[in-house]
């Protein structure tokens, strides 16, 4: 019953997905924005301990509940950790009503043909089994599109769907994330190509299988409406992709049926130096603004 309830929440729940999945490469930047400099740790373990404290502070804040935050994406070390005295995924669902996801990608290959593909993921089946045992509902895997390259984008999407099928075989729901870099000159053209490739691959999925899509906010409003309405798509979510929270919220509100899955835009304005009252008030206002943009369509 729990997974059915989680699936229904992801299909139709009002709110957004929090991306709390900064990994090794992005953790120092996330900590710096939070007010913790690189001089605060000597080892990777100390660094990960500090980011876990930040994530725990967010997840245990009064505003962080399923009333507005319907899901959260976790880094592997967060899944293996404890929040509020319980395993992280268990705490999120049982105490907060937030559906837990796991980031499974291990970074990107070098750019080729206008895209950066996913690096191999060693031991993926074992990781997916651990995720199921931990109470994870789905996964997230990010690759990047840097140019309107038909061949490159086709290869990018094909790789994403191959990985999605492996995730689906474990009973998990994959969030497919082929991010289009917001600064490229041919962004709109790349998004048109991406839309066609996604539709083609979605149409080829067996009946009864569902995936989620995490996409860059498009240049043309409602470009991805056909994906929102696709029978194989559980939900379309948007990444902030370098936009400020204000910009991302404004763009999101123009796209009917698309909800947020923000990372940096979610933590913008939060600081380790804030009192609990200041932190909670800032996070509450942030969550409300992202919620409002997510339900605007």
């Amino acid at each position: 019953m729990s997974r059915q309830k989680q699936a229904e929440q992801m299909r139709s729940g009002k709110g957004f997905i929090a991306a709390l999945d900064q990994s090794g490469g992005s953790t120092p930047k996330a900590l710096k924005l939070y007010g913790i400099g690189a001089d605060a740790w000597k080892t990777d373990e100390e660094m990960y301990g500090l980011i876990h404290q930040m994530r725990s502070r967010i997840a245990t804040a009064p505003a962080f509940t399923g009333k507005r935050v319907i899901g959260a994406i976790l880094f592997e070390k967060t899944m293996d950790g404890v929040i509020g005295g319980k395993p992280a995924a268990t705490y999120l669902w049982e105490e907060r009503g937030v559906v837990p996801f796991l980031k499974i990608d291990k970074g990107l290959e070098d750019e080729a043909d206008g895209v950066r593909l996913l690096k191999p993921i060693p031991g993926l089946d074992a990781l997916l089994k651990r995720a199921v045992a931990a109470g994870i509902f789905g996964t997230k895997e990010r690759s990047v599109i840097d140019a309107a390259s038909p061949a490159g984008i086709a290869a990018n999407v094909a790789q994403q769907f191959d990985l999605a099928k492996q995730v689906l075989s474990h009973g998990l729901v994959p969030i497919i994330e082929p991010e289009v870099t917001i600064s490229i000159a041919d962004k709109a053209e790349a998004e048109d190509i991406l839309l066609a490739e996604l539709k083609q691959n979605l149409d080829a999925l067996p009946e009864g299988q569902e995936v989620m899509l995490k996409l860059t906010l498009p240049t043309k409003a409602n470009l991805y409406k056909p994906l929102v309405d696709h029978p194989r798509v559980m939900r379309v979510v948007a990444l902030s992709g370098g936009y400020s929270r204000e910009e991302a919220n404004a763009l999101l509100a123009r796209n009917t049926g698309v909800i947020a899955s923000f990372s940096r835009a979610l933590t913008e304005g939060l600081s380790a130096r804030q009192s609990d009252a200041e932190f909670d008030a800032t996070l509450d206002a942030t969550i409300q603004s992202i919620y409002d943009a997510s339900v605007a369509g």
Side-chain angles (χ1 to χ4, degrees):
M1 288 300 295
S2 179
R3 283 196 66 82
Q4 291 177 2
K5 188 175 179 183
Q6 289 175 338
E8 185 54 37
Q9 181 161 309
M10 296 321 304
R11 284 191 196 98
S12 57
K14 289 185 178 297
F16 66 94
I17 298 174
L20 305 176
D21 60 338
Q22 299 91 347
S23 56
S26 55
T27 296
K29 184 178 180 181
L31 285 170
K32 183 178 180 182
L33 291 170
Y34 184 55
I36 299 177
D39 57 348
W41 68 84
K42 291 187 174 67
T43 66
D44 283 352
E45 286 308 307
E46 290 177 350
M47 178 186 74
Y48 287 127
L50 289 168
I51 198 76
H52 186 73
Q53 289 175 23
M54 183 187 88
R55 291 167 177 153
S56 296
R57 196 180 188 192
I58 292 169
T60 57
F64 198 88
T65 75
K67 291 182 179 178
R68 290 179 291 178
V69 183
I70 62 172
I73 305 168
L74 306 178
F75 179 49
E76 185 180 345
K77 285 183 178 292
T78 308
M79 178 187 76
D80 292 336
V82 172
I83 298 176
K86 291 187 174 185
T90 302
Y91 175 83
L92 284 173
W93 180 242
E94 291 185 354
E95 302 296 329
R96 306 267 96 182
V98 174
V99 178
F101 290 80
L102 175 67
K103 167 191 164 72
I104 61 169
D105 60 81
K106 301 298 183 186
L108 303 169
E109 301 281 13
D110 292 337
E111 188 274 331
D113 206 358
V115 299
R116 284 173 280 166
L117 299 178
L118 294 155
K119 285 184 177 178
I121 308 174
L124 177 58
D125 283 315
L127 175 60
L128 295 174
K129 288 176 183 176
R130 282 176 49 219
V132 171
I136 294 292
F137 176 77
T139 65
K140 191 211 78 163
E141 37 274 2
R142 170 183 172 266
S143 51
V144 173
I145 295 167
D146 288 322
S149 162
I153 293 173
N156 189 311
V157 174
Q159 183 194 45
Q160 281 277 359
F161 273 82
D162 283 344
L163 180 56
K165 290 167 187 172
Q166 189 172 354
V167 172
L168 285 162
S169 73
H170 287 265
L172 297 164
V173 176
I175 301 177
I176 292 168
E177 184 184 6
E179 175 181 350
V180 178
T181 303
I182 65 172
S183 59
I184 59 174
D186 52 1
K187 176 174 178 284
E189 292 83 356
E191 289 165 346
D192 287 337
I193 298 167
L194 176 60
L195 173 61
E197 289 295 332
L198 288 170
K199 286 168 65 177
Q200 181 177 327
N201 280 270
L202 287 166
D203 290 344
L205 282 178
E207 186 174 351
Q209 290 194 342
E210 289 178 293
V211 301
M212 295 175 61
L213 302 171
K214 182 168 179 175
L215 305 173
T216 302
L217 289 157
T219 300
K220 290 178 275 191
N222 283 321
L223 176 71
Y224 296 130
K225 189 64 167 62
L227 305 178
V228 172
D229 297 333
H230 198 286
R232 304 290 186 272
V233 176
M234 182 174 282
R235 206 71 182 260
V236 177
V237 305
L239 56 104
S240 50
Y243 292 117
S244 70
R245 182 168 63 243
E246 185 177 0
E247 291 173 314
N249 282 341
L251 289 168
L252 177 61
R254 297 168 54 203
N255 288 275
T256 303
V258 179
I259 66 172
S261 177
F262 293 169
S263 175
R264 187 198 46 75
L266 172 66
T267 57
E268 185 181 311
L270 298 178
S271 170
R273 300 184 182 90
Q274 289 169 327
S275 68
D276 286 345
E278 291 170 329
F279 181 93
D280 291 346
T282 300
L283 183 61
D284 181 69
T286 294
I287 285 174
Q288 188 61 46
S289 74
I290 299 173
Y291 174 89
D292 288 343
S294 294
V295 303

